[in-house]
Amino acid sequence: MVNGKDWKAKARWIIQGWEDPELLQLDRSSPTANTLSLHLLLQVCASMKWDLTLADIKTAFLTADAKERDQPLYSELPPGGISGIDAGSLLQLLKPIYGQVDAPLHFFNTLKNYLVNQCGMRQSKLDPCMFTQHDSKNNISGMIVTTVDDLAMCGDNHAMKIVYDLLKQRFKFGTWKVGGGRYCGRDIIQHADKSISVNQHADIMKLETITLPRGRLQQQDAECLDEEVSMLRSRVGGLSWFVNQTRMDCAGDVSFIQKVFPNPSISAVTEVNRIIRRMQKEEVTLTFQCIPMKELRFLLSTDAGWANVDQTKSQAGWMVCAVHSDIQNDKTVLFSPIVWKSHTIKRVTSSTLSSETMALSEGLSELDWILALWAETLNAHFSIKDFSDGVYQQHASVHLGQSISDDIQTTLNNVTCVTDCKSVYDVINKDTVPHDK
């Protein structure tokens, strides 16, 4: 125990991957799941009332298949040597080691091939880190989202038990928890009613405000020194990550503070400290509601502020949620947050109508992507061509042919868009010429 905290000793051998003689020929991509895909898995899990399983693979890279190389690769012994091996010996690397630039991709390919070829899962065409399973009637029966060695899984108990058993035979797991746990910096809990909550408050409390010498914070207009800029970048990076994962309530503030670089002033330090204190004071938990699949709809809400960035550019924000179909009957319903964004519109807009329309357009583009990913998740015979033909040729409707169930078709064809801009609403719904252009 150190400073009142329990610490777990860990050791990791790290290879200096930049010295690999084939460095420039290696594929260095590192596939990781999109937050959207994880949220769709949590929504499917809650709606189907399946058990949520979170697991991580132990010493993942060493469990990968042996690598094939044009020339053998050797390494010196790690510091301290290896018991039973003479000092000065070289090791031939047959499997990926932490630090090798292609190790994450090689492990991912091993896991992907096993899930597809041995476990019978189907890899998504839209997110390569998402895998689904369907029964003989084309109903979804299981789902897995991978982020390197972390797995989020759910599905029908009978169908997925076969997959789980196969995974345990092939890989060694450090943790395997049913009903929630830690997943990529999130605390996830599945409740008795099968709804799922996601929280990052424990990690947010570890954020530290920037401390400057006495009197420095009073120099609000002074330009930050190099060390202060470094601290500021570190804090803003951390805040941005939390905003993208769970803290949509601070998305606007963080978006604005990102614009202070490359020459921030001390006032930016004051603002970053304020945002950190706000995040720590106001705990936020995302909840994925148990909305029946037949009644699930998607709702897009957009907003924009005209010329509120540097007096010339506008800020746009949008959020897509899963909601109960009762909302289309003017009833109050619970919702599940799926994805959100707040950012500065690149174009200079000439009016409120223009900025609000840009926000709506961006939100609709994201909604199209979500509908495609949702259709692929629930439909084993998903075709990108059929989907794109439906979206772009049928305008308001999505047609995927006879291979898709009526329930999925109803969800795709019944989306709700919400805006607080009356001029946008009037342009769409009334035969009038708007004053703004």
Side-chain angles (χ1 to χ4, degrees), residues 139-410:
N139 296 315
I140 187 169
S141 57
M143 193 171 177
I144 296 177
V145 168
T146 69
T147 302
V148 191
D149 57 351
D150 292 309
L151 279 62
M153 304 174 284
C154 66
D156 174 79
N157 287 337
H158 175 72
M160 288 303 288
K161 183 181 185 304
I162 299 174
V163 175
Y164 294 161
D165 288 344
L166 288 171
L167 283 172
K168 291 177 180 178
Q169 290 175 19
R170 173 62 178 82
F171 301 98
K172 183 177 181 180
F173 287 87
T175 61
W176 183 286
K177 295 186 178 181
V178 178
R182 289 282 296 180
Y183 184 84
C184 298
R186 306 170 180 86
D187 291 310
I188 302 179
I189 300 174
Q190 186 171 37
H191 304 284
D193 65 351
K194 297 303 181 181
S195 64
I196 299 170
S197 62
V198 181
N199 186 290
Q200 290 185 299
H201 196 66
D203 289 335
I204 289 173
M205 292 304 295
K206 297 176 183 178
L207 287 173
E208 296 181 355
T209 56
I210 299 175
T211 302
L212 298 180
R214 180 177 297 180
R216 181 62 170 159
L217 284 175
Q218 275 66 51
Q219 303 170 11
Q220 290 290 290
D221 295 330
E223 188 171 313
C224 289
L225 304 175
D226 290 345
E227 182 181 359
E228 294 166 341
V229 172
S230 178
M231 291 190 292
L232 198 58
R233 286 188 184 278
S234 174
R235 301 307 193 280
V236 172
L239 292 172
S240 300
W241 188 76
F242 286 119
V243 161
N244 292 332
Q245 307 305 311
T246 57
R247 293 304 299 263
M248 77 281 284
D249 59 311
C250 295
D253 287 343
V254 174
S255 174
F256 280 118
I257 201 63
Q258 289 173 332
K259 299 174 181 60
V260 302
F261 299 103
N263 300 307
S265 64
I266 294 300
S267 61
V269 175
T270 301
E271 177 63 8
V272 163
N273 286 344
R274 183 192 68 81
I275 298 172
I276 291 175
R277 294 189 184 101
R278 176 188 169 187
M279 276 194 179
Q280 293 176 338
K281 181 180 178 181
E282 302 170 1
E283 183 173 355
V284 171
T285 298
L286 307 185
T287 301
F288 294 84
Q289 310 289 345
C290 301
I291 306 168
M293 295 294 274
K294 291 184 178 181
E295 304 298 335
L296 190 144
R297 304 289 183 268
F298 288 102
L299 179 145
L300 166 67
S301 177
T302 68
D303 197 5
W306 178 53
N308 62 342
V309 182
D310 298 330
Q311 299 181 342
T312 57
K313 292 191 175 182
S314 304
Q315 188 78 4
W318 47 259
M319 181 177 186
V320 178
C321 307
V323 298
H324 194 284
S325 60
D326 281 346
I327 199 169
Q328 296 172 332
N329 298 320
D330 295 329
K331 294 183 179 180
T332 300
V333 299
L334 297 174
F335 71 94
S336 304
I338 302 299
V339 68
W340 54 87
K341 186 176 183 179
S342 176
H343 72 109
T344 300
I345 299 173
K346 293 181 180 180
R347 294 178 57 182
V348 175
T349 56
S350 59
S351 65
T352 297
L353 174 61
S354 178
S355 59
E356 293 277 3
T357 302
M358 290 290 293
L360 179 60
S361 176
E362 291 182 6
L364 287 171
S365 295
E366 184 69 19
L367 183 59
D368 280 349
W369 179 261
I370 292 172
L371 293 177
L373 195 56
W374 183 257
E376 184 192 30
T377 299
L378 303 185
N379 176 29
H381 307 295
F382 173 82
S383 163
I384 294 177
K385 181 180 183 303
D386 288 345
F387 182 86
S388 61
D389 288 347
V391 171
Y392 300 113
Q393 295 178 13
Q394 301 298 331
H395 304 293
S397 297
V398 178
H399 298 281
L400 298 181
Q402 298 180 357
S403 63
I404 192 167
S405 71
D406 292 339
D407 293 339
I408 304 175
Q409 191 71 65
T410 300

Side-chain angles (χ1 to χ4, degrees), residues 127-142:
D127 185 343
C129 296
M130 187 173 77
F131 301 83
T132 55
Q133 182 188 71
H134 298 79
D135 61 22
S136 58
K137 297 182 180 179
N138 194 28
N139 296 315
I140 187 169
S141 57

